[in-house]
């Protein structure tokens, strides 16, 4: 049998009801029962909100500055422009995949390569692969993708400039062990970045000895079999109408050697 205090509690509906939220809070934080305590909490909340808004504004301003920086000599629809600016390098996370940009670290190729190398090593030491992008000559946003009937801009780069300026930071990323490279939207010397055998097979995989896999920028497949033969290994986010059953047919009719497919899936 319950004792008297318990009995009186049982028969009292008010006493058996769970205390309200504010009552529970003030029981744990008695200072909130005073006006000064409430004022302190309100001020703290406003400071947190203000700090968050200031951070968002700073991020927006930084993004705006990056977006306003043109790195080519100007653009014309479907035209070709020389790339006079140096490689830049940056790193950011796309979802769970860290991307290393030879794009915003520095205008100096040597420094840019050193920082890209350290970034690759640091990230991959944590057990996450890096994606180094965009290979190569992606130095302006204007017309970097095909639009309407016009082709994307072409980054026309001579061999010496390619090796001494643009390729250098990517070389350091390869030596650091970057597991993945992403080819670019725009053209390089009038051939699209993800269908450019000179840059993918020649420079990246042969000259630099890159052992990882090459993925396309999102939707950067503009041709079918040419991209596979040029050195592209993975189509992102999908191959659309270009690969799939057509890739199988190309192997069956001898257009693409099966060893190339083996290379694509084992890198």
């Amino acid at each position: 049998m319950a004792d008297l205090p318990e009995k009186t509690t049982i028969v009292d509906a008010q006493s058996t009801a769970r205390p309200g939220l504010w009552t529970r809070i003030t029981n744990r934080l008695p200072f909130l029962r005073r006006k000064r305590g409430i004022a302190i909490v309100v001020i703290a909340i406003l400071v947190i909100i203000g700090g968050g808004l200031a951070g968002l504004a700073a991020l927006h301003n930084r993004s705006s500055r990056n977006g306003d920086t043109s790195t080519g000599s100007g653009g014309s629809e479907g035209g070709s422009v020389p790339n006079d600016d140096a490689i830049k390098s940056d790193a950011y996370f796309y979802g769970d995949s860290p991307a290393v940009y030879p794009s915003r670290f520095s205008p100096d190729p040597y420094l840019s390569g050193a920082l890209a190398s350290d970034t690759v090593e640091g990230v991959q030491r944590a057990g996450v692969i890096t994606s180094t992008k965009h290979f190569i000559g992606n130095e302006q946003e204007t017309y970097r993708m095909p639009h309407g009937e016009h082709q994307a801009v072409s980054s026309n780069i001579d061999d010496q400039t390619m090796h001494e300026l643009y390729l250098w930071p990517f070389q350091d990323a390869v030596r650091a062990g970057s597991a993945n490279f992403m080819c670019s939207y725009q053209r390089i010397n009038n051939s699209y970045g993800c269908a450019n055998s000179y840059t993918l097979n020649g420079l990246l995989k042969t000259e630099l000895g890159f052992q990882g896999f090459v993925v396309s920028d999102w939707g950067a497949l503009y041709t079918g079999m040419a991209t596979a033969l040029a050195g592209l290994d993975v189509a992102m986010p999908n191959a659309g109408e270009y690969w799939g059953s057509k890739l199988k047919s190309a192997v069956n009719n001898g257009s693409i050697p099966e060893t190339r497919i083996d290379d694509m899936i084992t890198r």
Side-chain angles (χ1 to χ4, degrees), residues 26 56 135 200 219 232-233 253 262:
T26 54
L56 289 174
F135 195 77
L200 299 182
L232 179 66
D233 301 306
N253 65 29
D262 294 339

mmCIF file of all heavy atoms in Angstrom, residues 26 56 135 200 219 232-233 253 262:
data_model
loop_
_atom_site.group_PDB
_atom_site.id
_atom_site.type_symbol
_atom_site.label_atom_id
_atom_site.label_comp_id
_atom_site.label_asym_id
_atom_site.label_seq_id
_atom_site.Cartn_x
_atom_site.Cartn_y
_atom_site.Cartn_z
ATOM 1 N N THR A 26 13.462 26.247 -16.175
ATOM 2 C CA THR A 26 13.816 27.091 -15.023
ATOM 3 C C THR A 26 14.228 26.268 -13.815
ATOM 4 O O THR A 26 14.984 26.742 -12.964
ATOM 5 C CB THR A 26 12.639 28.011 -14.647
ATOM 6 O OG1 THR A 26 11.457 27.216 -14.442
ATOM 7 C CG2 THR A 26 12.381 29.027 -15.741
ATOM 8 N N LEU A 56 27.762 34.220 -43.456
ATOM 9 C CA LEU A 56 27.153 33.991 -44.772
ATOM 10 C C LEU A 56 27.469 35.133 -45.724
ATOM 11 O O LEU A 56 27.729 34.917 -46.910
ATOM 12 C CB LEU A 56 25.637 33.831 -44.619
ATOM 13 C CG LEU A 56 25.159 32.542 -43.946
ATOM 14 C CD1 LEU A 56 23.652 32.591 -43.733
ATOM 15 C CD2 LEU A 56 25.534 31.333 -44.789
ATOM 16 N N PHE A 135 41.263 19.363 -65.631
ATOM 17 C CA PHE A 135 42.405 19.112 -66.490
ATOM 18 C C PHE A 135 42.019 19.376 -67.943
ATOM 19 O O PHE A 135 41.188 18.668 -68.487
ATOM 20 C CB PHE A 135 42.857 17.664 -66.312
ATOM 21 C CG PHE A 135 44.212 17.367 -66.866
ATOM 22 C CD1 PHE A 135 45.351 17.761 -66.192
ATOM 23 C CD2 PHE A 135 44.347 16.691 -68.064
ATOM 24 C CE1 PHE A 135 46.610 17.482 -66.697
ATOM 25 C CE2 PHE A 135 45.594 16.416 -68.579
ATOM 26 C CZ PHE A 135 46.731 16.807 -67.895
ATOM 27 N N LEU A 200 44.872 13.796 -72.139
ATOM 28 C CA LEU A 200 44.561 12.694 -71.226
ATOM 29 C C LEU A 200 45.517 11.515 -71.388
ATOM 30 O O LEU A 200 46.164 11.087 -70.429
ATOM 31 C CB LEU A 200 43.112 12.234 -71.433
ATOM 32 C CG LEU A 200 42.022 13.280 -71.163
ATOM 33 C CD1 LEU A 200 40.637 12.667 -71.354
ATOM 34 C CD2 LEU A 200 42.150 13.870 -69.768
ATOM 35 N N GLY A 219 28.296 16.002 -67.081
ATOM 36 C CA GLY A 219 27.680 16.170 -68.385
ATOM 37 C C GLY A 219 28.631 16.645 -69.459
ATOM 38 O O GLY A 219 28.199 17.235 -70.454
ATOM 39 N N LEU A 232 39.192 8.946 -71.202
ATOM 40 C CA LEU A 232 38.194 9.121 -70.143
ATOM 41 C C LEU A 232 37.804 7.752 -69.599
ATOM 42 O O LEU A 232 37.522 6.828 -70.366
ATOM 43 C CB LEU A 232 36.958 9.839 -70.691
ATOM 44 C CG LEU A 232 35.821 10.056 -69.687
ATOM 45 C CD1 LEU A 232 36.246 11.007 -68.577
ATOM 46 C CD2 LEU A 232 34.575 10.589 -70.393
ATOM 47 N N ASP A 233 37.769 7.612 -68.267
ATOM 48 C CA ASP A 233 37.480 6.318 -67.645
ATOM 49 C C ASP A 233 36.082 6.219 -67.051
ATOM 50 O O ASP A 233 35.478 5.150 -67.047
ATOM 51 C CB ASP A 233 38.509 6.030 -66.544
ATOM 52 C CG ASP A 233 39.931 6.002 -67.077
ATOM 53 O OD1 ASP A 233 40.185 5.252 -68.032
ATOM 54 O OD2 ASP A 233 40.783 6.748 -66.541
ATOM 55 N N ASN A 253 32.339 -4.765 -82.383
ATOM 56 C CA ASN A 253 32.672 -4.536 -83.794
ATOM 57 C C ASN A 253 34.120 -4.106 -84.001
ATOM 58 O O ASN A 253 34.524 -3.777 -85.118
ATOM 59 C CB ASN A 253 31.710 -3.521 -84.434
ATOM 60 C CG ASN A 253 31.831 -2.124 -83.829
ATOM 61 O OD1 ASN A 253 32.884 -1.708 -83.358
ATOM 62 N ND2 ASN A 253 30.715 -1.387 -83.844
ATOM 63 N N ASP A 262 38.909 -2.820 -69.937
ATOM 64 C CA ASP A 262 39.540 -3.376 -68.738
ATOM 65 C C ASP A 262 40.324 -2.299 -67.993
ATOM 66 O O ASP A 262 40.297 -2.226 -66.757
ATOM 67 C CB ASP A 262 40.478 -4.526 -69.120
ATOM 68 C CG ASP A 262 39.738 -5.726 -69.689
ATOM 69 O OD1 ASP A 262 38.525 -5.847 -69.426
ATOM 70 O OD2 ASP A 262 40.370 -6.527 -70.404
#
